Amino acid sequence: MHEHDVLVIGGGGAGLRAAIAAHEEGADVAIVTKLHPVRSHTGAAEGGINAAIREGDDWELHAYDTMKGSDYLGDAPAIETLAQDSPEETVQLEHWGMPFSREDDGRVSQRPFGGLSFPRTTYAGAETGHHLLHVMYEQVVKRGIQVYDEWYVSNLAVTDHDDAEDRECHGVVAYDIKTGAVEGFKARNGVILATGGTGQVYDHTTNAVANTGDGAAMAYRAGVPLEDMEFVQFHPTTLPSTGVLISEGVRGEGGILYNSEGERFMFEYGYANNAGELASRDVVSRAELTEVNAGRGVEDEYVYLDMRHLGEERITDRLENILHLARDFEGVDALEEPMPVKPGQHYEMGGIETDENGETLIDGLYAAGECACVSVHGSNRLGGNALPELIVFGARAGRHAAGADLGEAEITKGKTAEIEEEDGLDTPVEPGAVPSGDDEAVADGSDDVAADGGAAVVDPDETVRRAVERERTRIEELMQKDEGIKHSDLRADLQQSMTENVNVFRNEDGLKQALEDIREVREAYQDVYVNDPSRTFNTDLIHTIETRNLIDLAEAITLGALARDEFRGAHWRQEHQERKDDEWLKHTMLSWNDGTPELWYKPVILEGEDKTYEPKERSY
Amino acid sequence: MSTQVPEEKEQSETEQEVNAETEAEISEGASYGDQRRDQRDAQRRQSVSGAPADIEGESFRLKVFRYDPEVEGKMEPRFDDFAVPKQKGMTVLDALIYARDRYDTTLTFRHSCRQAVCGSDALFINGRQRLGCQTQISDLEEPVRVEPLPHQDVVKDLVVDMEHFYDQMHAVEPFFQPEEDPDGDLEEYRQTRENREKIKMSTRCIWCGACMSSCNIAAGDNQYLGPAAINKAYRFAMDEREGENMKEHRLNVMDQEHGVWRCQTQFSCTNVCPKDIPLTEHIQELKREAVKQNLKFW
Ligand SMILES: Cc1cc2nc3c(=O)[nH]c(=O)nc-3n(C[C@H](O)[C@H](O)[C@H](O)COP(=O)(O)OP(=O)(O)OC[C@H]3O[C@@H](n4cnc5c(N)ncnc54)[C@H](O)[C@@H]3O)c2cc1C
Ligand code: SF4
Ligand code: FES
């Protein structure tokens, strides 16, 4: 058994920042990650980091913009913390050597971004995430922080208490991808989940193949609530065949969207008469799909994004990267022809419920980054607000886990007095785990906590040991079967249904259809088998375990979307075309409850440090 | 183990067997999910049929290197053939994923971002180091032949051991070491636009290992730092924020037996770097700087 004070799961922006912070606090910290840190998806971020670091700007403006952008579904204490801490955190990156773009006076540059009242997006070319990731990894190397790379964390070691609130997390179980060994990792002080996004729930996403939401699914099954999962951001300009992102920068520089008739539809059909192509992401995504549905899409699938008129010089100067992307990933020369684009899944606003110190409902378990929901983005994330979230809340989680006193959190966790139960959500099928035979470990891992009916295990070492045993049995079971269903078929079916039914446009029938499809996939998963018998680098096994996580998260997204009968931010419902502040200024919460998902709500906190944010119409 | 499989042998025996096997799978083994997806793909192909690069219904041959130290039948390196339908915009990585998900889930390779930023899928494709995700099938001659990076130990199929590469990267003190901090927490270091421009290309490295694998000298001298690590050192040595003393220290690290002087300017690293980093030029510049520094002390 490996043992450290603090274990950080994930080596992306949030994980690296958390590890550095815990180390600075004096903890013995280790990072366990399924990809080598520099392979994490943070490296794909293009646009930049929002931080109020200039004269004329201040954190309060940043907080206000963020609250408005969230469509009043963000929690003020989280949003204000983000805005207050991000200047120092961003300058800290500069002090670690980050090659930010520069002004004439040698200071770092900032640029305007959608929804911001001040040009506060600090950037390093169109490769901000790449630099952020590498600079932080360099600091990890400098500090000699131990990294277990290509170790897949497949389960949390959580005590067996009946009530999730009483449970404690003492470590994780991880699988050494290179050798196949399943081992326990004990954390004396805390485990921080920083496992990133869930894009693979959809078949068309800007996210990496590794973004399978493992941390969120594991925390959920261990008893931590998932928050606001229905809010999925779709980016309007992704390449049709791969989902590769074409940065908002193209429209920022003057790129134009056309339909198949050659019409500039954002104006022609009145989707956004003021902002046109530069309307917010949700608005443009809906406009594009409306065009396609009205028969004005190209090949019934996409629209055109044209930047040819900007001229070769300006394009190579400011959008060079886009030329490479269009050529390499779509085979299109964007200097000669318009680029085909369509909306694609981009960001999961919801996630593991945490407070502003990164703590979850379970003692000793933290979360930060895209896998967490603290909640700063509410129902719609502004461009440039995810990277500061990684460093601000990554650092806080790291410090807190290492024992620093960050003060009492204002955001509550779990079911407090103010919660409201959902009773009456009409689901066509029973959601949640497929019932299993009693004693045996279930191959799909749904017995993550307290399933074997024995005496409750609370001793830390024993908790880890037992979790390891369960995991070994589960993996053996998966490997032993000689035939069955391939994970790739299940994953594809799941992704296809989510894309058809829980996309930009949503309606009740579609959402119910998705729940039925998810159930079907869940049941079929009982017959999943791993064809590869090898212990060495068995990606067949890893993808099989990941697919299970995708099923639980797809269901959480769909249940939340079915429950929320209003139109807010990224969540559009055909039957409900208005924001219903009277009813819906609340977070959708989902608890696993030993296999039976339970929906409940907790109020949004609009009360800030010295003002209360009043919901207003969101128009740009 | 080495990645060299003699072309002759592989053509004559093993491949034919495997060929027969995969062909069979292609025709009858299609599951319900596969059939549904085939339909959808067909629709998709139809819907983009006007596009010139799309050749409807046509497949190409993907020849993939296979090896697993543990599994009988795979311990002897071989090539497998897969028939993959052509699609507009298809990359080598797409084709590998297709082959894995449809025909053989044991086919193993690293991949993640699909957009040339994570550096996981550097492979030896038609005899050259490239990123699978960045390489269009339509740019390649058929059959498309995919092998692991040469001069690296093969773990399994297309996966190579990257430890040595990481060790060399770590050996050059790959972190910012300024001499003094700016006053005040919110004060940045000043850096001129020109200086940022100078280091810009060097900061684009994604640690894919293509350069190292293409380098003859690195292949013969295990201790040679190699182009990626030297480029990393260049990135810091040329960053004016670190200061002159630190630059001297960095040049000393480079000016050693297995450092910059090993480079014989063959340009193979520069030719294969997927991020177009002028590696050889950077190495040459460090050589010149090292010489200048020595002159100072004479
Ligand atoms: C194309 C693109 C462009 C973007 N541009 C911007 C932008 O300009 N500005 C902005 O603010 N935001 C942007 N975002 C959003 C932002 O980049 C992401 O939200 C953020 O990088 C996520 O970071 P993370 O640390 O939470 O996760 P990741 O960087 O995805 O890291 C996750 C880590 O967890 C590890 N992991 C996952 N599962 C396991 C497991 N089971 N066991 C062990 N390890 C595991 C992985 O190996 C990885 O190291 C963009 C996102 C995309 C996709
Ligand atoms: S220098 Fe280029 S080829 Fe070498 S590791 Fe970096 S990106 Fe890859
Ligand atoms: S998959 Fe990331 S570089 Fe190719």
Side-chain angles (χ1 to χ4, degrees), chain B residues 1-2 5 9 14 65-67 74-79:
Chain B
M1 71 137 258
S2 120
V5 180
K9 174 171 175 286
T14 9
F65 176 88
R66 305 301 300 271
Y67 162 76
K74 271 183 81 185
M75 291 174 186
E76 189 64 34
R78 64 168 200 227
F79 279 82

Side-chain angles (χ1 to χ4, degrees), chain A residues 318-426:
Chain A
R318 303 187 194 186
L319 300 165
E320 181 197 332
N321 192 31
I322 303 301
L323 289 178
H324 297 308
L325 294 177
R327 183 197 63 209
D328 295 341
F329 301 108
E330 197 69 38
V332 162
D333 178 356
L335 286 176
E336 298 291 329
E337 34 181 343
M339 295 173 278
V341 293
K342 71 176 200 182
Q345 189 282 351
H346 183 55
Y347 187 87
E348 172 57 76
M349 265 81 72
I352 304 166
E353 181 205 43
T354 71
D355 65 21
E356 61 271 38
N357 298 332
E359 282 195 285
T360 73
L361 181 71
I362 292 182
D363 219 26
L365 184 64
Y366 295 76
E370 191 167 337
C371 70
C373 179
V374 42
S375 100
V376 286
H377 309 303
S379 64
N380 176 55
R381 174 177 75 85
L382 294 182
N385 258 356
L387 296 180
E389 177 191 15
L390 307 181
I391 50 180
V392 166
F393 294 102
R396 290 177 75 91
R399 270 186 219 119
H400 198 282
D405 181 5
L406 300 184
E408 193 69 31
E410 286 173 61
I411 295 173
T412 58
K413 296 172 311 232
K415 296 182 173 181
T416 54
E418 288 180 88
I419 69 125
E420 184 189 319
E421 305 276 351
E422 164 73 55
D423 45 8
L425 186 69
D426 173 23

Side-chain angles (χ1 to χ4, degrees), chain B:
Chain B
M1 71 137 258
S2 120
T3 66
Q4 260 63 53
V5 180
E7 179 94 15
E8 292 309 310
K9 174 171 175 286
E10 153 263 314
Q11 285 285 2
S12 57
E13 316 157 21
T14 9
E15 192 195 323
Q16 263 150 27
E17 250 172 65
V18 175
N19 235 338
E21 213 178 282
T22 20
E23 293 292 349
E25 242 183 302
I26 293 168
S27 51
E28 33 174 283
S31 70
Y32 172 64
D34 280 344
Q35 286 164 20
R36 263 178 61 183
R37 262 173 297 291
D38 276 332
Q39 264 172 13
R40 190 168 64 134
D41 288 347
Q43 274 167 4
R44 198 188 136 71
R45 277 197 300 278
Q46 226 166 17
S47 77
V48 290
S49 58
D54 177 63
I55 306 155
E56 208 177 324
E58 208 182 287
S59 298
F60 65 95
R61 258 174 78 201
L62 185 68
K63 282 168 75 72
V64 187
F65 176 88
R66 305 301 300 271
Y67 162 76
D68 187 323
E70 267 187 80
V71 175
E72 213 164 323
K74 271 183 81 185
M75 291 174 186
E76 189 64 34
R78 64 168 200 227
F79 279 82
D80 273 4
D81 263 27
F82 300 95
V84 179
K86 275 187 190 167
Q87 276 172 40
K88 184 172 188 265
M90 187 178 233
T91 65
V92 172
L93 178 63
D94 294 333
L96 285 170
I97 292 175
Y98 186 96
R100 181 194 65 197
D101 287 358
R102 297 303 187 87
Y103 304 138
D104 182 358
T105 48
T106 72
L107 176 59
T108 306
F109 46 93
R110 286 193 184 94
H111 65 303
S112 188
C113 71
R114 296 133 57 246
Q115 55 190 85
V117 289
C118 76
S120 345
D121 66 339
L123 295 163
F124 200 55
I125 300 167
N126 281 4
R128 182 181 193 264
Q129 286 80 359
R130 321 175 203 239
L131 296 179
C133 66
Q134 201 187 27
T135 308
Q136 291 278 322
I137 293 290
S138 55
D139 289 346
L140 298 173
E141 298 220 351
E142 292 174 30
V144 174
R145 187 181 158 106
V146 187
E147 296 162 81
L149 287 181
H151 305 130
Q152 252 101 320
D153 287 339
V154 177
V155 176
K156 173 172 163 184
D157 292 351
L158 301 173
V159 174
V160 294
D161 189 344
M162 293 292 287
E163 282 314 311
H164 178 62
F165 177 83
Y166 297 147
D167 287 346
Q168 301 306 74
M169 293 301 268
H170 292 168
V172 299
E173 301 178 18
F175 37 80
F176 192 52
Q177 302 183 68
E179 279 150 27
E180 52 193 78
D181 288 334
D183 298 332
D185 277 351
L186 286 177
E187 208 40 57
E188 308 112 80
Y189 291 99
R190 301 302 165 106
Q191 181 183 30
T192 60
R193 280 182 198 257
E194 294 70 38
N195 187 243
R196 179 180 190 267
E197 205 53 36
K198 181 163 180 68
I199 62 164
K200 185 175 89 182
M201 292 309 287
S202 67
T203 63
R204 288 193 172 163
C205 173
I206 55 173
W207 296 44
C208 70
C211 53
M212 193 77 154
S213 154
S214 77
C215 175
N216 283 330
I217 294 100
D221 172 5
N222 206 30
Q223 290 181 62
Y224 173 44
L225 288 169
I230 296 177
N231 172 67
K232 191 80 179 164
Y234 175 97
R235 176 252 168 282
F236 290 109
M238 296 301 167
D239 191 323
E240 64 188 11
R241 293 174 292 173
E242 277 200 344
E244 281 306 311
N245 291 338
M246 194 59 212
K247 181 167 180 178
E248 208 172 292
H249 169 68
R250 293 214 178 262
L251 290 172
N252 283 334
V253 175
M254 288 301 102
D255 185 19
Q256 43 138 320
E257 200 191 337
H258 300 278
V260 284
W261 301 109
R262 281 286 142 122
C263 170
Q264 295 174 8
T265 36
Q266 292 174 347
F267 285 93
S268 45
C269 55
T270 306
N271 289 337
V272 300
C273 175
K275 291 295 170 186
D276 299 330
I277 303 171
L279 295 163
T280 313
E281 223 170 275
H282 286 169
I283 300 172
Q284 291 308 101
E285 203 176 331
L286 285 176
K287 285 183 189 170
R288 286 195 297 273
E289 293 279 326
V291 170
K292 265 199 272 174
Q293 183 191 1
N294 286 339
L295 283 176
K296 248 195 323 209
F297 297 118
W298 285 344

